[in-house]
Amino acid sequence: RQPASTIKPLAVYAPAIENRLITPATLILDEPINYDGYSPKNYNGKYEGWISVRKALSTSNNIAAVKTLKTIGVDTAAEFLKRVNLDLNEQDSGLSLALGGLHKGVSLYDLTQAYTIFANGGVFDKCSLVKKITTKDGIVLYQSKPNPQKVLQQDTAYLITDMLQTAAKEGTAKRLRDFPYQVAAKTGTNSFLKSALNNDAYCISYTSKHTIGVWLGNISNDKKGALPSNVTGGTYPTMIAKNIIKSLYKDNPPPNFKRPNTIVYADIDLKEYHKNQTIVLANASSAPRYRKTEVFSIYNLPPKAVNIKWETRQKNIIENKKQSFLDRMIEFITNKKNQLKKSKAS
């Protein structure tokens, strides 16, 4: 099936972060676009102006995904998808790849398997339905052999997970927001022949322990079997995923996602961010309303703002006050001496 927007973390944002081209805070202009006749639109038909990569991924913005794919190149995306066992068709060479527009498509099994790299710190290994087959005497007839492959840096996998947690808290998968433990998710919806009806609806969700793929769709691929317009990835598939997760962790909640040592939280300067769409680290002296915390890889930190540090500023103020006090004392003593001299002269 066409994977719709569930392909975005895999084909677009993971390769872009891996190549240090973007961060979750990077701003992209959401606007009407036309690339050689290809004019994708957002699901709601609206444009928001400058939006962060975090918001673009969590709300499944189409324009930002297509722009990012154009920046990294379809070949880069295809090469990465191959690493996670998602082979493209020769015809899948256009920017529609960013929105899951594939000629052959993918299976839910392969798609869910590909998502395991994010919770596994960038390591991919094919899943196995049967781990081992033995005789009654314990003789091993078959045993699956793990073959883990490093396909992403740990910090890239964590940054994608961090943004997909935002999707599960306040984005398209927000029906998962009430869990008292960390859940990441991405939804996707594929329309039926550009109509108001839908053909496929997905929710791929994961914790530090499990990855879950849910699909509802039009098996017959005709109008009669199409999904109503109100059945999207964020509705019933996410609700089903919620029930599965609730059942899995009824008595034993999963641990948090493991944060690599290469991941840091830093404050960015909101004045530069909103005025010039540039990302610089905020100074310690910046007021809270002019700063915002975001997560970064240490290998792709924004530059520092060229302003005096708070500690230095405080030191200068104190030194200036001391100097001002000494100047006033010297002036006072000098005036007193002059007054005494005048008194003696008179």
Side-chain angles (χ1 to χ4, degrees):
R1 311 291 297 199
Q2 288 194 1
S5 291
T6 60
I7 203 72
K8 290 174 182 176
L10 296 164
V12 180
Y13 293 110
I17 291 175
E18 184 80 347
N19 287 284
R20 313 299 180 199
L21 296 174
I22 61 170
T23 72
T26 299
L27 288 169
I28 300 174
L29 184 58
D30 179 20
E31 61 180 348
I33 56 175
N34 187 312
Y35 296 130
D36 297 325
Y38 178 56
S39 301
K41 293 178 174 56
N42 292 321
Y43 184 77
N44 59 8
K46 299 178 181 178
Y47 304 96
E48 298 189 47
W50 291 101
I51 59 171
S52 68
V53 166
R54 179 180 293 280
K55 185 175 182 181
L57 181 53
S58 64
T59 61
S60 207
N61 183 281
N62 288 340
I63 302 301
V66 172
K67 280 190 170 185
T68 304
L69 179 61
K70 184 171 174 58
T71 300
I72 66 173
V74 174
D75 289 344
T76 300
E79 181 186 350
F80 178 72
L81 290 175
K82 191 173 183 179
R83 291 187 217 167
V84 293
N85 205 41
L86 296 177
D87 286 327
L88 300 183
N89 188 282
E90 290 180 357
Q91 296 173 288
D92 298 326
S93 58
L95 294 176
S96 60
L97 168 63
L99 310 183
L102 306 180
H103 288 78
K104 182 181 176 182
V106 298
S107 70
L108 179 64
Y109 180 90
D110 287 340
L111 180 62
T112 308
Q113 178 178 251
Y115 263 77
T116 62
I117 62 170
F118 299 129
N120 288 339
V123 175
F124 175 77
D125 199 357
K126 288 187 177 181
C127 300
S128 177
L129 180 65
V130 179
K131 290 185 178 181
K132 185 189 291 187
I133 300 174
T134 64
T135 65
K136 61 180 180 180
D137 300 320
I139 299 172
V140 178
L141 301 176
Y142 166 82
Q143 185 168 3
S144 64
K145 295 180 180 179
N147 184 29
Q149 303 285 330
K150 186 78 172 176
V151 298
L152 273 183
Q153 294 300 316
Q154 275 187 301
D155 52 4
T156 300
Y158 186 85
L159 291 174
I160 292 291
T161 293
D162 193 78
M163 290 190 288
L164 292 183
Q165 286 183 78
T166 301
K169 289 175 183 175
E170 56 193 62
T172 57
K174 61 186 177 184
R175 281 182 166 84
L176 303 177
R177 66 180 177 270
D178 295 331
F179 288 115
Y181 40 82
Q182 293 181 340
V183 178
K186 181 72 190 80
T187 63
T189 307
N190 180 40
S191 64
F192 173 72
L193 299 177
K194 297 183 179 180
S195 69
L197 303 174
N198 291 323
N199 224 41
D200 305 275
Y202 297 88
C203 179
I204 313 295
S205 60
Y206 60 97
T207 66
S208 60
K209 300 292 288 183
H210 296 89
T211 302
I212 302 151
V214 178
W215 168 84
L216 294 179
N218 181 2
I219 293 177
S220 61
N221 282 318
D222 56 24
K223 189 173 182 180
K224 186 178 179 180
L227 302 173
S229 59
N230 64 338
V231 178
T232 66
T235 58
Y236 292 109
T238 303
M239 292 160 68
I240 292 170
K242 183 177 182 178
N243 288 332
I244 294 171
I245 294 168
K246 190 184 296 183
S247 176
L248 279 171
Y249 307 118
K250 185 178 180 181
D251 302 314
N252 190 20
N256 288 344
F257 296 107
K258 187 177 180 181
R259 179 161 65 97
N261 294 330
T262 51
I263 290 294
V264 295
Y265 289 87
D267 286 352
I268 59 175
D269 187 326
L270 286 181
K271 287 184 178 179
E272 281 293 321
Y273 195 64
H274 294 307
K275 183 179 179 181
N276 301 316
Q277 289 77 51
T278 56
I279 307 173
V280 294
L281 296 177
N283 294 309
S285 59
S286 299
R289 66 180 181 276
Y290 296 130
R291 52 202 298 145
K292 173 188 175 184
T293 303
E294 190 48 277
V295 61
F296 297 94
S297 162
I298 60 172
Y299 303 113
N300 199 18
L301 273 171
K304 293 181 179 179
V306 186
N307 283 319
I308 197 165
K309 289 184 178 179
W310 171 254
E311 294 85 357
T312 309
R313 181 170 177 267
Q314 284 294 89
K315 185 178 179 182
N316 289 342
I317 290 172
I318 293 169
E319 291 297 327
N320 288 338
K321 284 183 177 179
K322 286 180 180 177
Q323 188 62 43
S324 179
F325 175 76
L326 288 172
D327 289 342
R328 290 198 303 272
M329 287 299 294
I330 292 170
E331 184 180 357
F332 174 78
I333 292 169
T334 302
N335 289 337
K336 282 294 183 182
K337 283 182 178 180
N338 290 336
Q339 288 176 7
L340 286 172
K341 286 179 181 179
K342 288 180 181 180
S343 298
K344 287 180 180 179
S346 61

